[in-house]
Amino acid sequence: MQALPAPTFDDVLDAAARLEGVAHRTPVLTSSTFDERTGASVFFKCENFQRMGAFKFRGAYNAISHFDAEQRKAGVLTYSSGNHAQAIALSARLAGIHATIVMPHDAPEAKVAATKGYGGEVISYDRYKENREEIGRRLAEERGMTLIPPYDHPHVIAGQGTAVKELIDETGPLDMLFVPLGGGGLISGSALSAAALSPACTVIGIEPEAGNDGQQSLARGEIVHIDAPRTIADGAASTHLGHYTFAVIRQRVARIETVSDTQLIDTMRFFAQRMKIVVEPTGCLAAAAVLNGIVPVNGKRVGVVVSGGNVDLPKLAQYLA
Ligand SMILES: *Cc1c(COP(=O)(O)O)cnc(C)c1O
């Protein structure tokens, strides 16, 4: 297949039109306690309320909506630690096509069950020993299916960008935008929207301390690969940025910072106790950075992407205890 051109803000607008009436327009919440603690005016874009519980529905649905008749007939294939799997499974069901998903053996039970529940065929692998990209490529070839990777795809990036488009449409210009960072699909799309709608906004990526490949990549000017990190932020446990995502990040992301698992747990607790919302560890990355003063935000208008809310309930109880 021919390589697609790099994504632009026009692609985000096209994705927004395709998602209209299909994806939820998620709420933007505020918290006076959070504002008092940080000295900023913070707007949370709550993608934990998105269909299947995370922003990933946006990119997956957008990508599948571009399939031609032949691609629809063979179906879609992907690999994912969870939320992208559910997003592909649900989007495929809505499009009436078959989905095969390669998932790590230790993916959260809630995510595996939800993926199967949406009708996806799950194939599991050992993420410490096997390469999911190789397995994915081989299966796609054998079965003639179209591979939609979790982040490094222009249609995925454009779809993810619609969340921050909605955010800024609602709040007006922002000084700073904090975005959880895994492979970079979410932040790439977010940065395209921020550059178009709030050009003076500083975009900052936040990744888990245990896996700061994005931070290293930005510093070195090339994609840095790391071993699979052990972190509770399973949605951001990626080992490297993608080619499409790194190109956008280099151009439009000002800095990348990290937070610890303990800081993520404290932030989950804040969300549950103060804002009455369930946010998964990965969904807390951006908020944790602001709450812990990793980057000063005093006096600023700040956007925070709350990226998802899919967490096993027994684990949640453990974290909150
Ligand atoms: C996938 C995911 C991320 C990271 O998104 P990337 O596009 O890989 O950077 C962040 N939060 C949640 C909840 C996710 O599922």
Side-chain angles (χ1 to χ4, degrees):
M1 212 176 73
Q2 235 180 325
L4 291 160
T8 65
F9 182 61
D10 278 342
D11 298 320
V12 178
L13 293 176
D14 175 73
R18 290 167 186 266
L19 288 166
E20 178 82 47
V22 185
H24 295 319
R25 191 184 176 94
T26 54
V28 176
L29 300 185
T30 58
S31 157
S32 47
T33 308
F34 198 96
D35 285 357
E36 270 162 36
R37 285 206 200 164
T38 58
S41 200
V42 180
F43 302 95
F44 297 96
K45 178 62 170 170
C46 291
E47 287 292 298
N48 53 319
F49 292 120
Q50 187 50 264
R51 289 185 80 163
M52 55 55 61
F55 71 90
K56 287 224 170 64
F57 177 70
R58 297 173 183 270
Y61 186 88
N62 186 49
I64 288 177
S65 78
H66 283 268
F67 278 22
D68 63 20
E70 202 176 310
Q71 288 176 301
R72 292 175 49 88
K73 204 167 146 208
V76 60
L77 175 103
T78 197
Y79 41 79
S80 166
S81 63
N83 283 334
H84 179 66
Q86 287 177 73
I88 287 286
L90 174 58
S91 301
R93 198 182 66 181
L94 294 174
I97 69 173
H98 181 79
T100 300
I101 292 121
V102 180
M103 289 181 93
H105 68 290
D106 59 349
E109 197 42 51
K111 292 182 178 180
V112 178
T115 303
K116 288 181 178 163
Y118 289 130
E121 176 200 356
V122 174
I123 296 176
S124 68
Y125 76 102
D126 183 339
R127 75 183 173 102
Y128 297 107
K129 293 189 189 138
E130 299 170 278
N131 182 321
R132 67 182 193 175
E133 287 158 38
E134 253 161 47
I135 298 172
R137 258 194 304 273
R138 182 169 44 85
L139 281 168
E141 218 162 90
E142 281 169 13
R143 301 183 180 192
M145 302 173 94
T146 302
L147 177 64
I148 299 296
Y151 52 86
D152 205 26
H153 189 292
H155 297 155
V156 172
I157 293 168
Q160 318 306 32
T162 59
V164 163
K165 176 193 174 294
E166 288 174 10
L167 170 65
I168 300 174
D169 280 347
E170 191 166 330
T171 62
L174 298 167
D175 298 314
M176 307 171 94
L177 177 69
F178 289 78
V179 186
L181 173 64
L186 178 60
I187 201 171
S188 299
S190 300
L192 292 174
S193 289
L197 302 174
S198 181
C201 179
T202 303
V203 180
I204 300 162
I206 307 296
E207 60 188 349
E209 209 170 69
N212 73 334
D213 60 289
Q215 191 178 44
Q216 292 184 48
S217 301
L218 196 57
R220 280 207 225 159
E222 62 183 29
I223 299 171
V224 172
H225 291 244
I226 59 168
D227 291 337
R230 291 180 193 265
T231 166
I232 62 168
D234 58 285
S238 48
T239 58
H240 58 89
L241 299 175
H243 293 283
Y244 287 106
T245 60
F246 184 56
V248 178
I249 289 168
R250 262 186 112 162
Q251 194 186 356
R252 304 194 185 277
V253 173
R255 56 199 278 192
I256 295 173
E257 300 294 338
T258 65
V259 297
S260 68
D261 280 5
T262 310
Q263 289 170 324
L264 292 176
I265 290 173
D266 288 345
T267 306
M268 284 178 86
R269 202 175 284 131
F270 180 92
F271 277 129
Q273 190 161 45
R274 298 290 182 155
M275 295 177 68
K276 320 301 174 193
I277 62 175
V278 172
V279 183
E280 64 182 274
T282 315
C284 292
L285 282 165
V290 179
L291 197 56
N292 288 282
I294 307 283
V295 180
V297 294
N298 198 33
K300 306 286 190 196
R301 284 169 54 80
V302 177
V304 166
V305 178
V306 175
S307 51
N310 293 326
V311 53
D312 285 341
L313 288 183
K315 277 226 179 111
L316 178 68
Q318 221 180 307
Y319 294 141
L320 299 183

